[in-house]
Amino acid sequence: MDIPRMGVPDKLAERMSMAEQHEYLRARFSRRNLIRGGAVTLGAVTGGAFVPGAVAQAATPTASTFASAATVDGRLVAPFGRHLAYGADPRTEMTVSWQVPVAVKKPFIRIGAHPWDLSRKIEAEVRALYTPAGVGTSADYTQYYLHAKLTHLRPGKTYYYGVGHDGFDPAAPHLTGTLGTFTTAPAHAEPFTFTAFGDQGVSYHGLANDSIILGQNPAFHLHAGDIAYADSSGAGETADTFDTRVWDQFLAQTESVAKSVPWMVSYGNHDMEAWYSPNGYGGEEARFSLPGNGPDKEHLPGVYTFVYGNTAIISLDANDISFEIPANLGISGGTQTTWFEAQLKKYRASKHIDFIVVFFHHCSYCTSTAHASEGGVRQEWVPLFEKYTVDLVINGHNHVYERTDVLKGNEVVKKLPIGGTAYPQTDGVVYVTAGAAGRSLYAFSADQSYEGNVKDNDAVASFVNTKDGQVKETVAWSRVRYLNYSFLRIDVTPASKGRTATLKVRGIAESGAEVDNFTVARTVK
């Protein structure tokens, strides 16, 4: 019988859920007396104010969390990996997160309306993540993540902030270069831009895409899963190994954008790290602070929603319904889909919401020869996309750029050439795979077809992952196929009642060249 690296028979590894893998790893390393502390150490929640009308929630670090801090000279330790995330209301809530390489004393954030007025100082929440040597390829290692949740902010306002600790005060004259800014969502609908991709990891291409994205001046960025690739396998099996230190590299790489642009993530198969928690997301919960307004924060912390202007954004966790990689299949017991439909119904009934954009990892529709399409998504969520006329679905998983025609019932109801317009109220749904953010590229079975190089092909050979395995299919819906590093830019233009609001969607290559563009139009009621 073959024995994989983690010491579990292949057949057993294939059958083990993420929760079972977590229990196996905990038992194995407990027997070796390698566990010297909990996976995530959190303090008690407290509160405080920082600018007029603003409130921060933070946690007081426990003594054990900072046992080694007394030997560290805080003057010699600089924070890194700053990244922002909206709360449930982007007009009034923002979380600032960052990392330090070693334990420090009394981490905090300073914030104010001007760079010369950072008098408000709030203690930060500490989440210490311990990984023993032998779990994957990581050394015996502890990471320190800091978070400050800011509430009661003013809509449409730019704030200045600095993060620090004892010995490192960002308000000091020689450290003002470390300050960052963020801007809350406006109180009313205005034109804005956001960007999106999936499958980034740590690479030159990931860094280059970040640079091009920053140049788009987006209000926020959506990451459709497979974030850092600390788990390079992503098979969802006990034989998977990961190196938690890759997250340090990723957050440092991403900081150039994420320190000023909210970096809203969903979770993919490479983001399940069994050591930290039964659902595999304990590491992500230490690193990110997401809105937390989904149906089940314990099992599905990457499921949430927020509204920016006239657009509702919904993040889903397709690991819950994936037939291809079933480690977390059924983890929500159906509550995610029930919650999702309730959100769609609520947003479609709202007179303030024009567009609904949904993003998650596994592809609804894709013809890449690697993963192609996920039958679980088609079974569970595609009927809801169509019932509630979702305006745009964004996926990753396949490391390509691909865009469909307008679909309903798995069939093309309207061809959508480059430069075309879709009308979801009467037509159907458009799906985009934007998984070429930085990892190695996949392949297509058909010719590439993109702006300036159109080669229409209405019979593309592909497959869909079902509960019974891969099922071959020949599809007519693959309209744009581009095999190089890229991301999405979406420009949102509101409109008054009776007029047409639009999403202008562009596929942008790492070079900055446009490879696709189309418009989603909706009459405002």
Side-chain angles (χ1 to χ4, degrees):
M1 186 178 295
D2 293 332
I3 305 297
R5 282 172 290 180
M6 293 305 296
V8 177
D10 284 333
K11 294 299 181 184
L12 179 59
E14 291 173 4
R15 293 197 304 270
M16 290 179 74
S17 69
M18 193 57 54
E20 291 168 336
Q21 292 178 48
H22 173 71
E23 290 303 315
Y24 163 75
L25 289 171
R26 285 281 159 167
R28 178 184 177 192
F29 284 92
S30 291
R31 285 196 300 271
R32 294 184 181 183
N33 297 316
L34 288 176
I35 301 176
R36 293 198 292 270
V40 181
T41 303
L42 297 175
V45 175
T46 61
F50 62 90
V51 292
V55 175
Q57 290 181 334
T60 303
T62 63
S64 62
T65 303
F66 293 109
S68 63
T71 62
V72 175
D73 185 343
R75 294 173 299 176
L76 306 178
V77 180
F80 71 98
R82 290 170 293 176
H83 51 290
L84 307 175
Y86 289 131
D89 185 354
R91 299 170 300 178
T92 62
E93 299 176 357
M94 186 77 75
T95 298
V96 180
S97 304
W98 67 99
Q99 191 174 354
V100 287
V102 295
V104 294
K105 291 182 178 180
K106 299 180 180 179
F108 62 86
I109 183 173
R110 287 190 180 275
I111 189 164
H114 306 284
W116 57 84
D117 181 17
L118 299 176
S119 58
R120 296 293 180 175
K121 180 180 177 182
I122 307 101
E123 197 171 14
E125 174 190 350
V126 181
R127 303 176 189 173
L129 194 67
Y130 172 66
T131 311
V135 173
T137 59
S138 294
D140 196 63
Y141 197 51
T142 301
Q143 293 162 299
Y144 300 95
Y145 299 101
L146 301 311
H147 304 267
K149 182 179 180 181
L150 312 174
T151 62
H152 295 85
L153 299 166
R154 296 172 181 171
K157 185 174 180 60
T158 296
Y159 290 89
Y160 292 82
Y161 73 91
V163 298
H165 48 263
D166 273 7
F168 189 100
D169 190 338
H174 68 288
L175 293 177
T176 55
T178 68
L179 300 182
T181 65
F182 64 79
T183 302
T184 53
H188 306 289
E190 299 175 0
F192 69 95
T193 297
F194 68 96
T195 53
F197 61 37
D199 304 79
Q200 187 180 19
V202 179
S203 71
Y204 167 79
H205 299 290
L207 183 62
N209 257 339
D210 284 351
S211 178
I212 301 298
I213 283 172
L214 187 60
Q216 314 300 310
N217 192 31
F220 56 88
H221 178 74
L222 306 180
H223 195 310
D226 283 5
I227 304 169
Y229 284 82
D231 175 351
S232 59
S233 172
E237 299 177 356
T238 310
D240 289 2
T241 60
F242 69 95
D243 186 343
T244 191
R245 297 165 296 185
V246 172
W247 282 100
D248 300 351
Q249 297 173 291
F250 176 81
L251 291 173
Q253 169 187 283
T254 305
E255 184 175 22
S256 63
V257 183
K259 68 181 180 182
S260 59
V261 176
W263 201 261
M264 309 303 293
V265 302
S266 63
Y267 297 149
N269 53 294
H270 284 270
D271 302 316
M272 297 184 290
E273 299 167 341
W275 163 254
Y276 299 114
S277 62
N279 59 10
Y281 302 134
E284 274 68 31
E285 290 187 88
R287 301 166 187 125
F288 296 97
S289 286
L290 299 173
N293 57 1
D296 186 349
K297 189 175 180 181
E298 178 183 356
H299 295 99
L300 299 172
V303 179
Y304 58 90
T305 183
F306 65 91
V307 173
Y308 191 104
N310 68 338
T311 302
I313 307 292
I314 303 176
S315 170
L316 299 177
D317 186 344
N319 290 319
D320 179 34
I321 61 170
S322 172
F323 293 133
E324 181 195 11
I325 302 172
N328 265 337
L329 178 62
I331 191 173
S332 77
T335 59
Q336 179 175 200
T337 297
T338 301
W339 172 86
F340 178 43
E341 182 166 17
Q343 302 310 301
L344 293 173
K345 185 176 182 179
K346 175 183 70 175
Y347 289 139
R348 275 292 164 248
S350 173
K351 64 180 181 180
H352 302 294
I353 303 297
D354 298 326
F355 298 111
I356 300 175
V357 175
V358 182
F359 75 110
F360 53 93
H361 189 61
H362 300 65
C363 294
S364 309
Y365 296 93
C366 186
T367 64
S368 165
T369 56
H371 300 294
S373 304
E374 174 56 65
V377 172
R378 292 192 190 179
Q379 176 180 296
E380 286 285 316
W381 296 340
V382 164
L384 297 179
F385 299 154
E386 296 174 358
K387 179 179 179 180
Y388 295 96
T389 63
V390 167
D391 298 283
L392 183 65
V393 177
I394 300 171
N395 301 132
H397 201 40
N398 287 285
H399 302 179
V400 299
Y401 178 92
E402 186 168 16
R403 193 256 296 167
T404 71
D405 287 319
V406 186
L407 304 186
K408 185 177 289 187
N410 292 332
E411 300 292 337
V412 176
V413 294
K414 177 183 177 181
K415 288 187 177 181
L416 187 61
I418 293 170
T421 300
Y423 300 90
Q425 288 163 298
T426 56
D427 296 343
V429 184
V430 180
Y431 301 83
V432 179
T433 298
R439 292 293 286 186
S440 58
L441 299 169
Y442 289 169
F444 290 114
S445 62
D447 291 336
Q448 295 185 63
S449 182
Y450 54 91
E451 193 167 333
N453 184 54
V454 175
K455 296 182 180 180
D456 287 333
N457 190 334
D458 292 333
V460 177
S462 190
F463 64 89
V464 57
N465 294 285
T466 74
K467 61 182 178 180
D468 298 317
Q470 292 182 0
V471 175
K472 294 181 179 180
E473 60 180 5
T474 300
V475 306
W477 41 254
S478 178
R479 188 53 47 201
V480 177
R481 296 174 299 280
Y482 178 70
L483 192 59
N484 215 326
Y485 297 98
S486 55
F487 64 92
L488 280 177
R489 170 181 171 142
I490 299 96
D491 297 298
V492 184
T493 304
S496 57
K497 184 177 180 180
R499 296 187 177 275
T500 301
T502 61
L503 298 178
K504 180 69 174 182
V505 185
R506 295 179 173 89
I508 308 294
E510 180 186 272
S511 65
E514 184 176 283
V515 297
D516 185 26
N517 80 86
F518 65 97
T519 301
V520 177
R522 182 176 285 271
T523 302
V524 178
K525 294 183 179 180

